[in-house]
Amino acid sequence: MYRRSIIPVAIFTALLSCSPKDAEQAESLFPTANVTAGEKVDALSAIFPDYRLIPLETNDSCLIDSKRIKILKRDSCYYVQSYNDILKFDGDGKFVEKLSKVGNARDEYPIILDFDIADINGRPEIMIAANKTIKRYDADTFGFIGDIKGEEYINQLHYVNDSTILTVSPDDVVFKVMTLGGKTRKSFMEKDLANAGQKLVQFRRLGDGRIAYQLDDTNNAVVYDEKSDSFSYSTLIPAPGKVLTVDDNREYFEKYGFREQPKKISSEFICISSFQTNGDAYVITCFHPDAVKTMTAGNKDESVAYVYSDNGIGNLENDIQTSDMLFLSTLTCCDSDDGFLFMIPGESFADESMADQNPVLLEVGRVR
């Protein structure tokens, strides 16, 4: 049973006051957080009772570029996108191999727009989105397997099964279902520039097997159901407070333009930074206009919201050896097949010798 945490009254009010605008929304994917007002403080290690820290090995062959980092844990290995390379580490963070084949030959890729790990016929593959083509490499040997030539550009991809790859396209229709032969058999949702923000990891598998994709930093999501091979709209949480919606984003985009829209949104709305799932369990982080952040941990039946901030305000105590809790927002770049995964940059450690090292992973098997 999750214990109820202490949330300042202002946050409590903000989390419960409003309802969604979009009439198309189905039932929310996650429940309302349990909140009360008070002064009790929870330690982060108590919320993550079986956490472990995994330093990723640092040497000249596996330095991770901080410009673009996406981390997937699959079958006890960690795959890290470092700009145009894919680095593989074992379960203890030891460097294994690097896929670095930038070029125009058939076994090379011009750029890595996104990548995923697929299990095809019992063997893991690395799939790389490279413009209109998906490049396929053996995840054990890094040998080239072949390519899938798509019909449209591919910004993001997510392997579902041997006949289904979900893709996100910059074309007029955003979501596509692609076959392994490259054919598009289904499309969904017209392009919406106001809600076009894309995170490094945005596809999340729910406890019932469906796959959710959050639209920008809003409370809205597109959900794919593998059983019915269909898309639908949903909300992440039961629209608490002034939580950003796609309608809000669109209104501010039209009113202020794309340059001023983010500033106005962040100063007036609660933005859902990201969410991560592990079966029915989940963790969500939200950014509030007053520089306060919330982390919600729970399952399909109940959840608990915790407050933290850069200036120490809140009811969450950091006791995991870092100087700040900014890593709680790295849900946006991590995904694990057997728990929750966070990335801790070297600068978040008090020890200055960590500054030039590869990131440390925080792995959490379950939440309290």
Side-chain angles (χ1 to χ4, degrees):
M1 180 69 69
Y2 290 88
R3 291 189 300 107
R4 290 196 293 176
S5 281
I6 299 85
I7 304 295
V9 175
I11 300 297
F12 174 81
T13 303
L15 285 173
L16 294 178
S17 61
C18 226
S19 60
K21 294 181 180 181
D22 196 333
E24 289 185 289
Q25 306 310 317
E27 182 179 354
S28 298
L29 301 178
F30 307 113
T32 302
N34 244 345
V35 290
T36 60
E39 297 182 356
K40 182 177 173 7
V41 175
D42 283 279
L44 198 54
S45 63
I47 302 166
F48 301 150
D50 58 354
Y51 80 91
R52 69 178 186 127
L53 294 171
I54 306 156
L56 296 180
E57 181 182 352
T58 302
N59 60 50
D60 291 342
S61 300
C62 63
L63 293 177
I64 295 176
D65 191 324
S66 61
K67 293 179 181 178
R68 184 177 178 85
I69 302 176
K70 174 179 178 177
I71 303 172
L72 300 180
K73 183 187 180 186
R74 298 291 185 265
D75 296 326
S76 301
C77 290
Y78 303 95
Y79 298 87
V80 182
Q81 178 184 352
S82 175
Y83 200 53
N84 278 330
D85 297 331
I86 305 291
L87 289 78
K88 182 179 180 179
F89 298 84
D90 69 14
D92 295 318
K94 183 176 177 56
F95 175 62
V96 177
E97 186 62 85
K98 177 167 69 175
L99 176 60
S100 182
K101 293 189 176 183
V102 178
N104 295 311
R106 185 166 181 265
D107 65 339
E108 297 174 330
Y109 48 81
I111 191 173
I112 299 179
L113 295 175
D114 193 16
F115 85 100
D116 198 13
I117 307 299
D119 187 340
I120 299 180
N121 297 322
R123 293 195 60 83
E125 293 186 10
I126 300 173
M127 287 188 168
I128 292 176
N131 297 324
K132 288 186 176 183
T133 302
I134 296 176
K135 298 287 186 174
R136 300 169 60 188
Y137 300 87
D138 188 294
D140 291 329
T141 67
F142 282 19
F144 180 66
I145 295 174
D147 49 34
I148 302 171
K149 296 186 181 300
E151 298 174 336
E152 294 91 11
Y153 281 94
I154 304 166
N155 282 349
Q156 292 180 294
L157 80 161
H158 180 75
Y159 172 83
V160 180
N161 57 47
D162 288 358
S163 62
T164 302
I165 302 173
L166 301 183
T167 69
V168 176
S169 166
D171 299 321
D172 291 339
V173 181
V174 178
F175 293 93
K176 310 284 174 58
V177 176
M178 176 190 288
T179 68
L180 262 66
K183 297 296 183 182
T184 298
R185 73 161 189 267
K186 191 178 292 292
S187 301
F188 185 78
M189 199 181 92
E190 294 183 0
K191 181 190 295 185
D192 184 357
L193 292 177
N195 294 286
Q198 294 179 355
K199 302 176 175 70
L200 290 175
V201 180
Q202 210 149 337
F203 290 101
R204 303 291 189 183
R205 187 171 287 275
L206 306 174
D208 60 9
R210 293 180 300 162
I211 297 165
Y213 182 100
Q214 182 190 7
L215 297 172
D216 200 65
D217 285 340
T218 74
N219 191 29
N220 304 96
V222 168
V223 178
Y224 175 76
D225 189 328
E226 182 180 356
K227 294 178 181 177
S228 61
D229 191 29
S230 63
F231 288 98
S232 62
Y233 290 106
S234 188
T235 54
L236 296 177
I237 52 180
K242 199 173 183 181
V243 177
L244 183 67
T245 69
V246 291
D247 290 336
D248 297 323
N249 246 350
R250 201 171 298 118
E251 177 184 339
Y252 277 58
F253 181 83
E254 294 171 355
K255 186 174 181 179
Y256 298 108
F258 75 96
R259 294 186 184 277
E260 293 298 317
Q261 175 205 18
K263 299 177 185 177
K264 295 288 186 179
I265 289 293
S266 62
S267 66
E268 297 182 28
F269 291 91
I270 299 170
C271 297
I272 299 179
S273 173
S274 188
F275 71 102
Q276 197 175 118
T277 57
N278 177 29
D280 286 329
Y282 67 93
V283 175
I284 295 175
T285 56
C286 294
F287 290 176
H288 298 252
D290 52 4
V292 168
K293 303 175 180 67
T294 53
M295 181 191 75
T296 301
N299 57 33
K300 63 179 181 179
D301 298 317
E302 60 181 334
S303 58
V304 182
Y306 303 90
V307 176
Y308 66 103
S309 67
D310 298 340
N311 57 15
I313 296 174
N315 67 332
L316 192 58
E317 177 188 10
N318 178 20
D319 60 347
I320 301 187
Q321 306 174 23
T322 60
S323 58
D324 58 54
M325 289 190 285
L326 297 179
F327 63 84
L328 292 177
S329 303
T330 63
L331 291 162
T332 57
C333 70
C334 300
D335 184 70
S336 172
D337 57 4
D338 64 357
F340 300 98
L341 194 62
F342 303 81
M343 181 194 73
I344 305 179
E347 55 266 28
S348 289
F349 289 91
D351 185 351
E352 294 183 359
S353 67
M354 294 293 296
D356 295 326
Q357 301 297 303
N358 278 340
V360 174
L361 302 182
L362 170 63
E363 187 174 81
V364 179
R366 62 187 175 90
V367 293
R368 186 194 65 196

